[in-house]
Amino acid sequence: MPASTGHSGSPRREAGFSPGKGIRFVRRIHRLRTLGLGVGFLCVATAMAGLDASPALWVLLLLNGYAWPHLACQWALRSRSPFAAEYRNLLIDIGLAGFWVVAMRGNIMPSTVIIAMMCMNNIASGGVRLFLYGLVSALAGMLAGAALLGVRLAPQTSVAEALSCLPLLFLYTLVLGKSTYDIAKKLARQSREFEAISQRDGLTGLYNRRHFESLLKQVLDDCRRGGHGASLLLLDLDFFKHINDTHGHQVGDTVLRNFSRLLEKHLRQEDIIARYGGEEFVIIINRVDEAGALALTRRIVERVRALQTVDNTLWGCTVSAGLVPYAAHLDDDYDWVRRADHAMYQSKNAGRNRLTLGR
């Protein structure tokens, strides 16, 4: 009788997962095992109804269908490794299925259904390795059944026995499909979250340098195709090292975060902002001509300058800026960054706290 899981991975790999994740895995399988074995009981019971099964065999079938799911759950939860314990339980599941194949005297339809369902459980939970282990466990269950009950074959399946398998086939497929969909959706969400995290600077939340460089290539290609204009702005916080040396890195981190929020506040949604490294920030001022980019950059420089007499959230830092509009003579994105960096250092050498327009 099957217990659907919808979990992927090998037993050896899963055994190294954290206990918290193992407990969630056990509880998920408990719900699915309870449903699968409960419905599977009807399938096996119908096949055994016309046989001379002993009362003890019926008691064992009831325990397997309605007590074992809860015992298996508690056994796994109390184990040192819930994941490993649950894989053991899955092997017991298919071993018991092999036993019931013998008890049903090889009745074709229910025997095929319960073994197939168990194999699906194992390959979904532990891949080919658990699937192969499951085949060995099923064979062991059949041998145990043959030793205890003898070997008597009655493979014919009646209409009633075939119909009793339909709820299991329908519910199992439905539950396994839903479980697989939920896991796929969770993995997709985690993948998106990981991708978003990998694109961001951990301190400021702005794009990091690696992702910015990929975006700059795209913008450069758009500009070359004549789609729109753009300017590259490189900003460096003046005297930032002095703040770290004098007030400590925690204050320095606060300055960087405050400057990041200032940029986000004064730039437009279509502009791309990134922390380029240390106290350097880079911005693609997108879809605007040179005059518009100059005006926007001047407002930022002036706003930073004004903070020295307002709330000093930047602890006295000013900003040196280098702005380079897109031009056809740019060799590539690295050339664009190099020119913006050169313009920014011209601002530094000219006394800081100013903007230099590069070409």
Side-chain angles (χ1 to χ4, degrees), residues 16-253:
F17 277 29
S18 69
K21 290 183 178 179
I23 289 171
R24 290 194 295 271
F25 179 48
V26 170
R27 293 193 184 281
R28 182 168 65 250
I29 289 185
H30 172 241
R31 293 190 296 268
L32 299 171
R33 179 181 280 120
T34 300
L35 173 64
L37 294 184
V39 177
F41 169 85
L42 301 176
C43 180
V44 178
T46 303
M48 288 177 53
L51 305 176
D52 55 344
S54 66
L57 201 58
W58 282 104
V59 170
L60 182 60
L61 180 60
L62 284 166
L63 291 175
N64 186 194
Y66 299 107
W68 165 244
H70 311 296
L71 292 174
C73 178
Q74 291 303 313
W75 193 9
L77 290 176
R78 295 172 187 271
S79 300
R80 292 183 61 183
S81 175
F83 262 118
E86 198 50 67
Y87 284 119
R88 173 204 61 209
N89 291 342
L90 289 169
L91 293 177
I92 293 174
D93 286 342
I94 195 169
L96 288 170
F99 176 86
W100 294 118
V101 167
V102 175
M104 292 185 294
R105 301 183 184 178
N107 193 314
I108 291 293
M109 184 72 173
S111 296
T112 302
V113 168
I114 64 172
I115 292 297
M117 298 299 105
M118 289 296 178
C119 289
M120 288 178 64
N121 286 343
N122 291 347
I123 203 164
S125 298
V128 175
R129 182 186 295 270
L130 189 61
F131 167 71
L132 294 176
Y133 287 161
L135 293 180
V136 175
S137 182
L139 179 61
M142 291 178 187
L143 292 175
L148 291 172
L149 306 175
V151 178
R152 289 181 290 175
L153 294 178
Q156 297 83 4
T157 301
S158 68
V159 174
E161 291 163 351
L163 291 175
S164 71
C165 295
L166 296 182
L168 179 59
L169 284 171
F170 176 77
L171 289 175
Y172 179 84
T173 305
L174 189 66
V175 170
L176 184 61
K178 177 64 166 59
S179 180
T180 303
Y181 170 75
D182 289 342
I183 291 174
K185 189 165 69 170
K186 181 179 179 181
L187 289 174
R189 184 179 69 251
Q190 290 175 341
S191 177
R192 289 193 299 270
E193 290 172 353
F194 177 77
E195 183 179 5
I197 291 172
S198 69
Q199 295 172 352
R200 297 285 175 174
D201 172 62
L203 177 63
T204 64
L206 302 177
Y207 286 131
N208 57 32
R209 178 171 178 167
R210 181 182 62 83
H211 185 58
F212 166 80
E213 288 174 345
S214 68
L215 295 175
L216 182 60
K217 286 184 173 67
Q218 297 175 21
V219 171
L220 182 60
D221 289 341
D222 288 344
C223 291
R224 283 174 171 168
R225 286 194 295 265
H228 58 80
S231 293
L232 185 62
L233 173 62
L234 193 62
L235 302 168
D236 185 271
L237 287 172
D238 301 324
F239 309 111
F240 181 77
K241 184 177 184 301
H242 175 73
I243 291 176
N244 273 339
D245 294 341
T246 305
H247 303 288
H249 288 278
Q250 287 187 334
V251 173
D253 289 348

Side-chain angles (χ1 to χ4, degrees), residues 238 301 304-305 308 318-320 347-348 351-355:
D238 301 324
V301 174
V304 172
R305 187 181 299 139
Q308 293 181 295
T318 55
V319 65
S320 295
S347 294
K348 288 278 190 186
R352 299 182 172 88
N353 188 21
R354 66 191 65 221
L355 163 66

Side-chain angles (χ1 to χ4, degrees), residues 230-233 285 288-298 323 325 355:
S231 293
L232 185 62
L233 173 62
I285 303 177
V288 69
D289 59 16
E290 180 179 319
L294 272 171
L296 188 57
T297 304
R298 288 192 180 110
L323 179 69
L355 163 66

